[in-house]
Amino acid sequence: MDFKELFKHWTYQVFAPGTVLRRKYESFKNLLEIDRACLERIAELEDIHYGGTPVDWARVNQLVRELLSQSDFLVRELLAMTPGNYLDLPDYRNKIAFYLTMASEPQDFEFAPPFAMSYEEALGRPACAGGKAHNLAQAAALAELPVPEGFVITCRAFHYFIEYNELRPRIDTLLAKVNLDAPGFVGDICEEIQRLILAGEVPPAVEQEYRHRAMLLAGARGGRVRLALRSSARGEDSEASFAGQYESVLGVSLSDITPAYKKVLASKYSAKAVTYRIRYGLPDQQTPMAVLVTEMIDPAASGVVYTRDPADPDGDTLAVYAVPGMGRALVDGSASPETLTISRGEAPAIVAHASGGGAPQVVCGDTPDEGPCLPEAHALSLARVGLHLERLFRAPQDIEWCMDRNGSLYILQARPLGLEAADGEPEPDRDAPLPDEPLLRGVPASPGVGMGPVCKPQRITDLDSVAEGCVLVADTLSPAYVSVLERLAAVVTDTGSKASHFASVAREFGLPVVVNAKFATRTLEEGRQVTVDATHGRVYDGAVAALKERAGRPRPQRDTPFRRRMAEVMSRISPLNLTDPEDENFAPHGCRTIHDIVRFCHERGVGEMFSLVGKDGRGLTQAKLLQTPLPVVLHVLDLGGGLTPAAAAEKTVDPCHFASGSLIALWEGLNHPDVQWDGSLLAFDWERFDQMSGGVFSLKSKILSSYVVVAREYMHLLMRFGYHFAVVDAMCGEHPEANYVNFRFKGGGAGVGQRLLRLDFVKKVLASAGFRVKVTGDMLDARLDRAPAPKIELTLTLVGTLLGRTRLMDMALTGDDQVQELVDQFLESL
């Protein structure tokens, strides 16, 4: 608060103290509202961090920004309530905010050239080239087989595209709304982002670079070339495969390269890609999209090489999968390929050669007249290249390949093969043997065990209704199932292979999958309880007791970039260091987190209201005397909504004018049938009266009387009973987080021992009602926090009854046994 505001406050305090009370109350109301909002933001962030709620980092950024803005307003309202106090609080809050902003805001990214680069250049700049292009560049340089000629449109070009079209704020706003529990809603959000991308303009500098390189590529082919544009996002084809999540555009002419480029960029925001990225814990801006542009190969056959068997990662064989023509039917799970199993040795040899099944239109070797898709000599060449790349990349590999019409082989892609470790897998329960025969047998595609009711979505749009813990049964393995992956217990399909994109993703996330189960969609009815043993490719009827322990295994928790960054962010938000308001470190210099700032402001704000009016009654000049048969002198000051409109025209008020639920509840307690009022003994501040000019004072003076400051949701009461007093400060509104009752009780006319016995009585009664109670000398402080309005009103009625019953109690108390007996009687009478 600047000097001008401070001077205004002092002026009001001297000349218009009632205005100070109202302004303080307005600031207090605002403080409580902002406190509630801050705690809601903190709870949402904690749910994301500790509860594992999957969100885009844009949502975290949005919540952090809101929290920082709210905490700033919170500090301002506290300073408005207490001018001249806590002047260093903004500095401590701003220091916390600085470090929190550093941890939460996205890192700077570059959008300067190069916007396109060759394979050779991509070798030394993986962050620029993206995962797929960098891996392919390494394969081109070191493997025995060629890769298609081409170049890379870099990640920097993507960043420049987003900046050039001013898309980042709109994209972040949309991503912040993503809720993976509603796949349909995610689809709507992603379609909107994709529309923004497709409507954007490619910056001229970017287009000029990639067109120049495309013309050079076409020139080397006599001007006639078809291109393939494939995704190469940063992080793709790494530990996070993004298998099948992004778009490839094939057969592109030179004139169509720009719309094809934008189509690949837009695929970064497909629903399945966004879902996968969020579940894998990668922020959007850490996965910019580069695009790999290659010469289009006209394939006679295509497929993949797995240098390890995902179902038997410690085995001594690898597998080559092949389909005729393009490999899309293989990787999208709609085909069951020809499979060649090959030994893993210095001289690989074919161990088995099996035909595919389930999709005759694309499967080789299904009839005696058909030859194999892939000659065995070529399969052995692929095996040798696969083992070479495995040594090069120091991990088992998933390699895409194709063979042109002349029989030449090409490497299209190489990435780590997702394998689930089998170490420590529990053995089946020997006391509960497996059934003799499963319902179905299939091919293991992703190991593990899952149990649940069968669900068979007929369309992709039906995925919204997929229930938690079900076994999804379908004819093929669609990559779209990634959107509900974490809801599923297992997946079983009629066709498909372990070489499909979805199978790769399932292995990354530990989801059991069985493919090629032939008649699964016919055999397994909707809702039927089944057990899927995907490690051995079997589906059993019902819940198999022998496999329950394995079915209950938690899915692996990854140490993702999201989790690491979230931990740093939460270290500046969540820990609460200010726990004891009486501690010397309960001060601005003790605040280490935003939670500390919120706690400090709430505690000191409530404390300020607890001492709302001074001993001289300053600020009560407009208070109205309450007409009541009770022997109390009580003045009422309405801050707004505490009394009915009819009271405005009256010089005095009576209880029928009360509109505040808090005051009505407390008054009900003061009028409890068990409270016996002595009409001849007026309750006012006798001690103050004795000190004032030999007693020459009106007994109804505001200085001597009790008072209540009241609003619609707030009440502050000071009750003076002879030589002791009680303060009740309460908020009772629709938000439980802001509600509280504070109670103070001090003094008495009896000896110290008897006063302490009365305090013990009050303490035990309040403790039974849920208060936290502290006694210091002959003063008791009690607090009940964050309760719903009905609980607050019942508590205030109890407090009112307690005030009436304890007026002269100290005079009659003689011992602890008597106190406990009175406590029991009091509680039974309520």
Side-chain angles (χ1 to χ4, degrees):
M1 179 177 287
D2 58 25
F3 179 76
K4 181 179 179 181
E5 287 296 314
L6 197 58
F7 181 76
K8 183 189 294 185
H9 173 80
W10 288 335
T11 303
Y12 279 135
Q13 200 168 35
V14 174
F15 298 106
T19 301
V20 172
L21 288 184
R22 286 182 171 85
R23 292 188 62 176
K24 180 176 287 190
Y25 172 64
E26 288 301 319
S27 290
F28 181 57
K29 280 201 306 182
N30 294 338
L31 184 146
L32 290 179
E33 184 67 23
I34 299 168
D35 171 85
R36 182 177 62 85
C38 285
L39 292 177
E40 286 177 353
R41 297 294 87 76
I42 291 173
E44 288 183 74
L45 287 162
E46 286 177 337
D47 194 43
I48 292 169
H49 182 50
Y50 301 113
T53 302
V55 299
D56 189 90
W57 191 262
R59 177 61 177 161
V60 175
N61 249 343
Q62 181 188 68
L63 290 172
V64 169
R65 288 170 183 166
E66 290 176 2
L67 180 59
L68 289 177
S69 175
Q70 291 160 350
S71 66
D72 182 39
F73 285 121
L74 189 70
V75 169
R76 294 186 188 189
E77 294 297 350
L78 178 63
L79 297 184
M81 290 181 66
T82 62
N85 294 329
Y86 318 125
L87 297 180
D88 56 344
L89 182 59
D91 292 336
Y92 287 103
R93 179 259 165 209
N94 292 341
K95 182 178 179 180
I96 296 167
F98 172 78
Y99 287 111
L100 180 53
T101 300
M102 291 283 289
S104 63
E105 290 293 333
Q107 298 174 347
D108 292 336
F109 48 83
E110 296 186 80
F111 46 88
F115 300 129
M117 60 174 55
S118 66
Y119 289 157
E120 292 78 9
E121 293 168 317
L123 272 175
R125 307 186 73 169
C128 236
K132 185 176 295 180
H134 181 251
N135 289 355
L136 195 63
Q138 289 182 287
L142 300 169
E144 299 174 7
L145 293 180
V147 302
E149 292 294 326
F151 62 92
V152 186
I153 308 174
T154 65
C155 293
R156 292 188 176 193
F158 170 80
H159 285 312
Y160 189 23
F161 177 88
I162 297 298
E163 289 298 307
Y164 187 83
N165 292 281
E166 300 180 344
L167 297 181
R168 178 49 59 191
R170 284 179 282 178
I171 289 174
D172 284 348
T173 298
L174 289 166
L175 287 176
K177 299 177 182 179
V178 168
N179 175 7
L180 297 190
D181 290 332
F185 181 59
V186 175
D188 293 341
I189 290 173
C190 291
E191 285 179 11
E192 178 61 25
I193 298 176
Q194 289 183 303
R195 280 194 290 269
L196 294 174
I197 299 288
L198 294 173
E201 179 185 350
V202 176
V206 173
E207 188 169 18
Q208 182 179 350
E209 279 202 36
Y210 66 63
R211 284 199 175 277
H212 173 69
R213 288 187 181 268
M215 292 300 293
L216 292 177
L217 182 60
R221 296 291 183 271
R224 300 179 62 185
V225 68
R226 288 283 174 175
L227 302 174
L229 274 70
R230 308 178 73 193
S231 64
S232 182
R234 188 179 299 166
E236 185 179 3
D237 288 353
S238 61
E239 183 182 349
S241 70
F242 282 88
Q245 305 308 304
Y246 297 137
E247 187 76 24
S248 294
V249 186
L250 307 179
V252 178
S253 65
L254 291 178
S255 60
D256 290 334
I257 189 170
T258 293
Y261 172 61
K262 292 200 293 183
K263 190 173 182 180
V264 177
L265 294 190
S267 74
K268 171 174 163 49
Y269 297 103
S270 69
K272 61 183 181 180
V274 168
T275 299
Y276 176 95
R277 176 180 57 73
I278 290 174
R279 292 204 186 283
Y280 212 93
L282 292 169
D284 180 50
Q285 295 193 50
Q286 288 186 14
T287 57
M289 178 65 77
V291 175
L292 177 61
V293 183
T294 65
E295 178 186 4
M296 185 75 191
I297 306 295
D298 181 20
S302 306
V304 301
V305 178
Y306 280 180
T307 63
R308 292 278 183 183
D309 184 347
D312 184 19
D314 297 323
D316 58 359
T317 61
L318 58 81
V320 178
Y321 302 90
V323 294
M326 293 185 183
R328 189 181 298 273
L330 170 61
V331 296
D332 71 8
S334 62
S336 300
E338 179 180 346
T339 305
L340 293 93
T341 305
I342 300 174
S343 62
R344 289 174 47 86
E346 292 188 9
I350 295 175
V351 176
H353 190 161
S355 298
Q361 71 275 17
V362 296
V363 175
C364 314
D366 265 357
T367 68
D369 296 331
E370 275 191 354
C373 288
L374 182 68
E376 292 187 350
H378 285 57
L380 292 172
S381 294
L382 288 169
R384 287 190 293 270
V385 169
L387 293 171
H388 180 70
L389 291 176
E390 182 179 279
R391 290 190 294 270
L392 172 67
F393 293 119
R394 299 180 181 180
Q397 293 295 295
D398 169 0
I399 301 161
E400 287 191 25
W401 58 269
C402 74
M403 181 180 70
D404 68 13
R405 300 294 174 179
N406 298 319
S408 298
L409 292 169
Y410 293 87
I411 300 298
L412 303 179
Q413 177 177 317
R415 61 173 170 235
L417 175 61
L419 298 174
E420 183 183 4
D423 294 344
E425 187 173 279
E427 289 295 324
D429 186 345
R430 299 185 184 278
D431 295 329
L434 293 172
D436 292 336
E437 195 62 32
L439 280 173
L440 294 166
R441 295 179 186 270
V443 176
S446 177
V449 174
M451 295 181 181
V454 168
C455 64
K456 297 196 290 186
Q458 301 302 309
R459 298 171 297 276
I460 296 300
T461 53
D462 293 340
L463 293 177
D464 272 356
S465 59
V466 168
E468 187 82 24
C470 73
V471 174
L472 189 146
V473 176
D475 53 354
T476 64
L477 272 183
S478 169
Y481 298 154
V482 170
S483 64
V484 292
L485 181 144
E486 291 199 350
R487 293 193 207 171
L488 305 177
V491 175
V492 181
T493 62
D494 292 341
T495 62
S497 81
K498 66 180 70 176
S500 68
H501 282 151
F502 182 81
S504 294
V505 173
R507 289 191 292 272
E508 291 176 48
F509 286 88
L511 175 68
V513 177
V514 173
V515 299
N516 247 352
K518 305 301 182 187
F519 305 111
T521 52
R522 297 186 199 175
T523 305
L524 303 178
E525 310 91 28
E526 183 84 24
R528 183 175 187 172
Q529 187 78 16
V530 296
T531 299
V532 179
D533 179 1
T535 303
H536 301 99
R538 296 166 185 164
V539 180
Y540 295 99
D541 188 28
V544 177
L547 298 173
K548 278 187 177 179
E549 184 179 354
R550 288 174 59 192
R553 292 175 66 197
R555 299 219 177 138
Q557 293 290 320
R558 293 178 189 81
D559 182 24
T560 64
F562 186 101
R563 288 172 65 86
R564 291 192 296 271
R565 195 172 180 191
M566 196 68 192
E568 183 180 357
V569 166
M570 294 310 294
S571 71
R572 306 283 181 182
I573 292 176
S574 187
L576 184 60
N577 303 291
L578 301 188
T579 57
D580 182 3
E582 305 300 322
D583 190 273
E584 63 179 11
N585 284 323
F586 200 96
H589 69 259
C591 294
R592 298 288 181 268
T593 65
I594 294 295
H595 200 170
D596 287 335
I597 296 289
V598 175
R599 168 82 162 116
F600 180 84
C601 290
H602 183 272
E603 186 70 29
R604 292 302 182 240
V606 171
E608 184 68 18
M609 296 304 289
F610 203 61
S611 55
L612 186 63
V613 179
K615 288 185 177 181
D616 58 359
R618 182 179 295 274
L620 297 175
T621 53
Q622 297 180 18
K624 298 184 178 186
L625 182 65
L626 177 68
Q627 299 294 333
T628 171
L630 300 186
V632 295
V633 180
L634 182 70
H635 288 82
V636 183
L637 176 64
D638 184 13
L639 296 177
L643 299 176
T644 63
E650 303 293 334
K651 292 184 178 180
T652 61
V653 294
D654 58 52
C656 70
H657 290 116
F658 294 166
S660 164
S662 298
L663 183 53
I664 292 170
L666 185 101
W667 198 252
E668 182 180 339
L670 288 171
N671 285 272
H672 192 280
D674 289 341
V675 177
Q676 301 298 318
W677 291 94
D678 184 348
S680 65
L681 190 61
L682 189 63
F684 68 98
D685 191 346
W686 300 341
E687 184 176 14
R688 189 71 181 272
F689 180 74
D690 290 344
Q691 297 170 355
M692 292 294 193
S693 305
V696 183
F697 249 85
S698 168
L699 298 184
K700 294 187 178 181
S701 165
K702 293 184 177 69
I703 297 177
L704 303 178
S705 69
S706 301
Y707 67 81
V708 60
V709 178
V710 65
R712 185 174 65 87
E713 296 181 342
Y714 174 71
M715 180 191 69
H716 180 89
L717 170 78
L718 172 65
M719 289 291 288
R720 292 176 166 128
F721 292 107
Y723 291 98
H724 77 272
F725 70 89
V727 180
V728 183
D729 191 77
M731 178 66 70
C732 182
E734 60 179 315
H735 300 298
E737 303 87 355
N739 292 341
Y740 67 88
V741 178
N742 275 351
F743 180 76
R744 175 171 290 171
F745 193 97
K746 179 174 172 55
V752 173
Q754 289 175 297
R755 296 206 304 269
L756 294 180
L757 287 173
R758 178 168 61 178
L759 284 187
D760 189 40
F761 170 84
V762 174
K763 175 182 177 180
K764 289 178 177 178
V765 170
L766 293 178
S768 71
F771 280 83
R772 301 193 309 275
V773 186
K774 179 182 177 182
V775 176
T776 306
D778 70 343
M779 184 170 72
L780 176 146
D781 282 293
R783 184 165 176 172
L784 185 145
D785 285 304
R786 306 186 189 280
K791 167 73 172 174
I792 294 293
E793 290 178 352
L794 285 173
T795 301
L796 288 171
T797 298
L798 178 144
V799 169
T801 306
L802 187 65
L803 290 175
R805 291 279 295 274
T806 56
R807 272 180 9 268
L808 302 175
M809 180 182 284
D810 57 332
M811 302 294 188
L813 292 176
T814 58
D816 294 334
D817 293 341
Q818 184 186 13
V819 168
Q820 187 58 53
E821 183 180 347
L822 290 173
V823 169
D824 296 338
Q825 292 175 2
F826 181 89
L827 295 176
E828 288 173 6
S829 68
L830 295 178

